[in-house]
Amino acid sequence: MMKTLHKKYTIALLATALLTGACEKDLQQLNPNQQTSATFWQNQEDAIKGINATYQTLTIDGGYMRSTPLLLDTRGDDVRSNSPWDQMYNSGKFALNAGNSDIYGWAFGAYYEGVSKANQVLDFVPGIKMDEEVKKRVLGQAYFLRGLYFYHLVNMFGNVILPTTSVKSTKDFYVKQSTEAEGWAQVINDLKKASELLPVSYDNVTGPDKGQKGRATKGAALAFLGKAYLFTKKYPEAASQFKAVMDLGIYDLVAEYRDNFTEKNENNKESLFEVQFSRDAGGKDLNWGGEPQPGWGVVSARAITYAPRGFGWTDVQPTRSSFNEFLLEKTISGDDDPRLVATMFYNKPGLKLYGKLFSENYKNNPADLNDLFVRKYENDDSGRSDEFDWRSGINERIMRYADVLMMYAECLNETGQTAQAYQYIQKVRSRVNLPDLAAVRPNMTAAQMRDQLAHERLLEFSFEGHRFDDIKRWGWLSDPAKLAELKQRDPEFNTYQKGREFFPIPIAEINTNPGVKQNQSY
């Protein structure tokens, strides 16, 4: 599958340097011949470069190259970390040192970099004389991306600042810290606008973006809008967005579950939005962030970070409790849930990793032979021998149709329609040949269905950044019985304390932005 949008990152990077800084005549003298954000935005080509650069932030280390998946995954009860890197190790233990901004601070900075770029698109593109339909699509993508960056900031950091215009002078530097509720309102506002402006697909549009995969669509905006409503417990509003996605009639589950996590079948009919990576785009240098460089590649470091021992760094591993959860129910034919072997490497007879039998590779190391390793988003069946070149080209699927179905079922359950929820859960179960839920667990109460959905979501979405978000929004951290269960499933929860469901605000932000207060318990 061609990754057409991010093949253009080598061009977008030239624009990024212009987008990350503002014209600050109060602070410095500018070369009159140097292009600035005030002089850059002249024509349609500039608008396209600008929006491409706004996507680019998703692929740096603070984004989905490495930091964002780590932060989303490590605090779930499906994940444990024995990384020698203290910030990675402590992230899942709710024990981060607020004075060290490694990983969480990089993500915080990346999201605001993305917001800054989106704001400049939204400020300057409306004044450009260009094709109006192209302009509408560019603005829709900017609203979507700003909404996505704000979504991460509000979800992960709580009370944050929400700048909605580009910095034009010193008075624009300091924005009031918003409440979590105000943050979600802004996310919802941006995603609503995006859903009104974006096309269903780019296949039939006219313009330079025609046919390009990876750009935000109406379906992606509706799905994230529904998720924002779900996170704020506005279940009827969330349900209407998920139903609108289904009614578009263009999404469905792919036949093979594992095709959602390899390069073979990217941008498929199940994928509503994915971050585009490619070993063939850009240069060979790793994209850590900072000032854009022409040698940057567009590759992911997720694979090496999560890879099995001997094939990468093994910073993230499955919990034994999540492994056991997969074994609770057999398929109709009496087999283990096929998602287990698509999600984890373990000592299963005949199982290979990177062309080697698991049992043979670890036979001289009993600890590893009996251990669990992550398989999702690994290149083990690509012909590569390991992940040590740091250059994975696997796209990160951050919104799948399976999630839309499950979230819609959850909304139905929370609005007194538990019986109607079964069919949408069953679509996901049927792909992996699990029996009819209505037959094996008929007439569940709403409370029983909540627990069933928690089980179903764990099996479907392990290592996809959803589990801790689910735990947090379900209120498990404030429920003594559920928190005790979490501690039993994953001892990392033993060090959880109230307020640590959010990451700390980086000290540099507090020191430079008057009025910004640290999150509770840090």
Side-chain angles (χ1 to χ4, degrees):
M1 178 69 70
M2 292 185 64
K3 303 180 183 183
T4 50
L5 169 59
H6 291 351
K7 295 283 189 183
K8 298 184 180 294
Y9 270 165
T10 52
I11 297 174
L13 292 177
L14 301 178
T16 309
L18 302 172
L19 294 168
T20 54
C23 180
E24 300 154 14
K25 63 182 179 181
D26 296 342
L27 302 180
Q28 60 183 343
Q29 290 290 325
L30 294 178
N31 180 343
N33 298 314
Q34 179 180 340
Q35 199 167 38
T36 69
S37 57
T39 61
F40 169 74
W41 304 92
Q42 301 297 319
N43 53 45
Q44 180 167 289
E45 182 181 359
D46 297 333
I48 295 294
K49 286 180 180 179
I51 196 60
N52 285 357
T54 310
Y55 281 97
Q56 184 268 338
T57 302
L58 292 170
T59 67
I60 64 175
D61 186 16
Y64 277 88
M65 176 193 174
R66 183 177 61 161
S67 295
T68 294
L70 278 169
L71 295 173
L72 292 173
D73 277 334
T74 50
R75 296 185 297 171
D77 61 338
D78 56 334
V79 171
R80 60 191 170 96
S81 175
N82 291 310
S83 173
W85 187 358
D86 58 349
Q87 284 294 89
M88 197 179 297
Y89 173 84
N90 285 326
S91 176
K93 294 174 177 58
F94 309 94
L96 281 173
N97 174 6
N100 180 351
S101 64
D102 286 2
I103 307 179
Y104 78 89
W106 302 339
F108 185 89
Y111 305 146
Y112 278 114
E113 177 186 314
V115 168
S116 174
K117 293 176 185 178
N119 282 341
Q120 291 189 59
V121 173
L122 293 169
D123 282 352
F124 292 102
V125 168
I128 296 176
K129 187 175 181 180
M130 57 185 286
D131 183 288
E132 287 301 314
E133 288 301 310
V134 175
K135 178 185 287 188
K136 187 166 77 169
R137 293 195 296 274
V138 167
L139 294 175
Q141 291 169 83
Y143 278 118
F144 173 83
L145 291 169
R146 189 174 73 179
L148 182 60
Y149 292 127
F150 278 151
Y151 167 91
H152 283 314
L153 283 164
V154 175
N155 184 41
M156 295 165 71
F157 296 92
N159 301 333
V160 294
I161 63 171
L162 302 167
T164 55
T165 187
S166 53
V167 177
K168 301 180 182 68
S169 68
T170 52
K171 68 180 177 64
D172 297 320
F173 276 113
Y174 303 119
V175 180
K176 182 177 76 72
Q177 190 174 19
S178 297
T179 66
E180 186 183 357
E182 289 170 335
W184 283 117
Q186 181 61 53
V187 171
I188 288 168
N189 185 60
D190 279 351
L191 293 173
K192 272 185 181 177
K193 290 179 179 177
S195 69
E196 294 163 359
L197 293 168
L198 289 170
V200 173
S201 82
Y202 291 80
D203 291 342
N204 299 314
V205 303
T206 301
D209 52 354
K210 179 179 174 59
Q212 291 187 348
K213 304 294 184 183
R215 295 193 181 275
T217 61
K218 180 181 289 292
L222 289 169
F224 275 102
L225 176 57
K227 193 166 188 176
Y229 279 130
L230 184 65
F231 277 31
T232 52
K233 302 189 185 307
K234 296 179 178 177
Y235 299 111
E237 293 90 338
S240 67
Q241 309 309 315
F242 301 137
K243 183 64 164 58
V245 172
M246 292 186 276
D247 288 346
L248 291 175
I250 61 171
Y251 300 108
D252 201 355
L253 303 179
V254 295
E256 295 295 328
Y257 176 73
R258 183 158 162 72
D259 280 345
N260 288 303
F261 315 107
T262 67
E263 281 194 89
K264 290 187 301 183
N265 195 20
E266 292 175 336
N267 300 302
N268 58 51
K269 64 182 179 180
E270 186 168 343
S271 183
L272 278 76
F273 189 71
E274 52 195 78
V275 179
Q276 309 285 307
F277 291 106
S278 173
R279 288 169 63 88
D280 301 321
K284 299 296 183 183
D285 298 335
L286 294 177
N287 184 355
W288 298 118
E291 287 297 319
Q293 301 298 321
W296 276 1
V298 191
V299 291
S300 169
R302 175 200 254 267
I304 186 173
T305 304
Y306 287 54
R309 193 144 12 250
F311 301 93
W313 301 131
T314 324
D315 287 311
V316 173
Q317 293 180 257
T319 57
R320 182 61 60 175
S321 64
S322 63
F323 175 84
N324 292 337
E325 190 108 1
F326 278 96
L327 303 180
L328 292 177
E329 187 176 17
K330 296 290 186 181
T331 66
I332 293 172
S333 54
D335 299 318
D336 288 341
D337 188 325
R339 290 173 296 190
L340 174 58
V341 76
T343 301
M344 305 180 196
F345 290 113
Y346 60 102
N347 192 9
K348 175 185 171 80
L351 180 63
K352 291 185 177 182
L353 69 174
Y354 298 88
K356 300 178 181 179
L357 281 171
F358 188 104
S359 56
E360 285 295 311
N361 189 70
Y362 295 122
K363 66 181 180 181
N364 296 321
N365 188 331
D368 286 345
L369 185 64
N370 295 296
D371 212 343
L372 304 169
F373 303 105
V374 177
R375 190 180 188 190
K376 269 186 186 176
Y377 288 111
E378 298 296 322
N379 294 278
D380 71 288
D381 53 5
S382 67
R384 297 171 62 188
S385 58
D386 55 51
E387 301 290 351
F388 285 114
D389 68 353
W390 291 81
R391 292 179 53 80
S392 176
I394 300 174
N395 287 359
E396 185 90 16
R397 282 75 155 181
I398 64 174
M399 180 59 74
R400 294 198 282 119
Y401 190 57
D403 200 6
V404 172
L405 293 172
M406 287 288 198
M407 289 189 291
Y408 186 58
E410 184 173 341
C411 291
L412 292 174
N413 186 55
E414 296 299 332
T415 53
Q417 303 173 78
T418 302
Q420 287 72 41
Y422 277 93
Q423 61 186 302
Y424 299 100
I425 300 170
Q426 190 57 43
K427 289 184 184 208
V428 178
R429 289 170 58 88
S430 292
R431 169 167 56 188
V432 291
N433 202 30
L434 289 180
D436 184 1
L437 185 62
V440 296
R441 293 208 65 193
N443 304 315
M444 279 188 278
T445 66
Q448 290 170 330
M449 181 60 85
R450 287 188 197 106
D451 286 341
Q452 185 68 33
L453 277 162
H455 165 75
E456 301 285 352
R457 289 185 63 82
L458 176 65
L459 303 190
E460 180 70 18
F461 302 116
S462 286
F463 309 110
E464 295 182 56
H466 299 309
R467 182 62 176 180
F468 183 74
D469 285 350
D470 289 345
I471 287 169
K472 183 171 67 172
R473 67 187 175 82
W474 290 332
W476 286 11
L477 297 172
S478 57
D479 181 330
K482 287 293 187 183
L483 183 56
E485 183 181 326
L486 287 169
K487 291 177 179 179
Q488 185 176 26
R489 291 176 55 84
D490 180 1
E492 291 175 319
F493 279 88
N494 285 319
T495 46
Y496 167 75
Q497 50 187 299
K498 186 177 180 180
R500 293 278 173 128
E501 59 269 26
F502 295 111
F503 292 105
I505 304 292
I507 296 298
E509 177 68 16
I510 293 172
N511 290 341
T512 58
N513 199 336
V516 172
K517 295 180 180 179
Q518 185 56 278
N519 284 329
Q520 179 184 355
S521 87
Y522 289 101

